[in-house]
Amino acid sequence: MAQAAPPSSPASPPSLAEVRQRIDAIDGDLLRLVVERAALAKTVAAAKAAAGDNGKFGLRPGRETQLLRKLLAGPRNGARPGLIVRIWRELIGDSLATQGPFHLAVWGGRDPGRAVEVTRLRFGVAPSLRQVAKPDDAIAEARSLGGVGVCALTPDNAWWARLLAEPKLRVFAALPCLAAWGPLSALAVAEVEVEPTGADNTFWVTDAAQSATAVEAALSGDGVAATLLVEAGGLKLFLLSGYYQADDPRLARAPGKLSGVIRAAPAPLDV
């Protein structure tokens, strides 16, 4: 009778020295690729200049969102969404700053530190950033080439309603961009194209005298899911689930005499 083979022992884990050696090798590869990617920003700038687009702000929030969603949808093993988003936000922000003007103005309301934090999380450390005393100053920055204004949502200032009279300025980002980083606390505004990405939220202003609950119910009855974000100065700002055009008839039928879409932003990337 043949003797049974002894059970095989599990493979020994690599030593700490071996793991560190592997990390060092990966760091070298990462650095080489980051440098190569950063150098391509100059090539992009040259290509835009040749095409006559060097006088335009290169920020494309829809394209960035599609890229990040693709990255997050792939196999990540131990890499959390926050790590992926932080790395690529920094790469994208640095590329934009290399291609042309890119500067931020932040009005933080009652919590300026938090506003700066979520702004840096969204745009990286490459663009210059200044804190301003009034939302009007941040909106003025957004009118300039390469300018982005970030304003906090507070119950004592309806700065967002002024965008109804600023057709070129659009809300394009809700901060922070990950639900894991906290609730929505600020909006980013710039002269950029805002395109649907497949999972978006639209921002809609109204002067309706009815309660927020009544406005939400009226919109719901017309097939629009709405949530009040903030109310100030007799005006209300609602988040509408989905991407809505400014001339959507359902919004035209909604309560309020003065109302309008101030544009949209992608839903949080980790939802």
Side-chain angles (χ1 to χ4, degrees), residues 168-180:
K168 292 185 178 181
L169 293 182
R170 301 173 178 93
V171 171
F172 69 91
L175 311 182
C177 60
L178 288 176

Side-chain angles (χ1 to χ4, degrees), residues 187-265:
L187 299 176
V189 180
E191 288 191 6
V192 293
E193 290 300 319
V194 178
E195 303 168 326
T197 68
D200 304 281
N201 293 317
T202 299
F203 300 94
W204 179 71
V205 178
T206 180
D207 65 349
Q210 296 95 319
S211 68
T213 301
V215 175
E216 290 170 1
L219 288 166
S220 178
D222 217 355
V224 179
T227 303
L228 178 70
L229 284 179
V230 65
E231 184 173 2
L235 299 167
K236 300 177 179 68
L237 175 64
F238 287 89
L239 181 151
L240 311 181
S241 181
Y243 186 91
Y244 288 84
Q245 298 287 355
D247 58 355
D248 191 294
R250 292 168 293 182
L251 302 183
R253 292 191 292 266
K257 295 180 180 179
L258 175 66
S259 64
V261 167
I262 57 174
R263 208 39 76 192

Side-chain angles (χ1 to χ4, degrees), residues 72-237:
L72 293 174
R76 291 183 283 108
N77 295 327
R80 291 185 291 271
L83 175 63
I84 302 298
V85 172
R86 283 296 304 276
I87 290 173
W88 262 267
R89 286 297 191 202
E90 291 293 345
L91 291 172
I92 293 168
D94 187 78
S95 179
L96 284 171
T98 299
Q99 293 175 39
F102 188 16
H103 38 92
L104 313 167
V106 181
W107 177 73
R110 299 175 178 178
D111 193 355
R114 175 59 176 166
V116 170
E117 178 187 22
V118 297
T119 300
R120 282 302 189 197
L121 287 172
R122 173 59 179 79
F123 299 103
V125 300
S128 62
L129 183 152
R130 66 185 182 98
Q131 293 180 268
V132 295
K134 300 179 295 183
D136 286 349
D137 298 330
I139 292 172
E141 187 89 4
R143 296 191 193 102
S144 63
L145 178 61
V148 173
V150 175
C151 295
L153 297 175
T154 68
D156 56 359
N157 196 303
W159 64 264
W160 28 268
R162 296 166 211 171
L163 299 181
L164 291 173
E166 297 271 2
K168 292 185 178 181
L169 293 182
R170 301 173 178 93
V171 171
F172 69 91
L175 311 182
C177 60
L178 288 176
W181 291 343
L184 193 161
S185 59
L187 299 176
V189 180
E191 288 191 6
V192 293
E193 290 300 319
V194 178
E195 303 168 326
T197 68
D200 304 281
N201 293 317
T202 299
F203 300 94
W204 179 71
V205 178
T206 180
D207 65 349
Q210 296 95 319
S211 68
T213 301
V215 175
E216 290 170 1
L219 288 166
S220 178
D222 217 355
V224 179
T227 303
L228 178 70
L229 284 179
V230 65
E231 184 173 2
L235 299 167
K236 300 177 179 68
L237 175 64

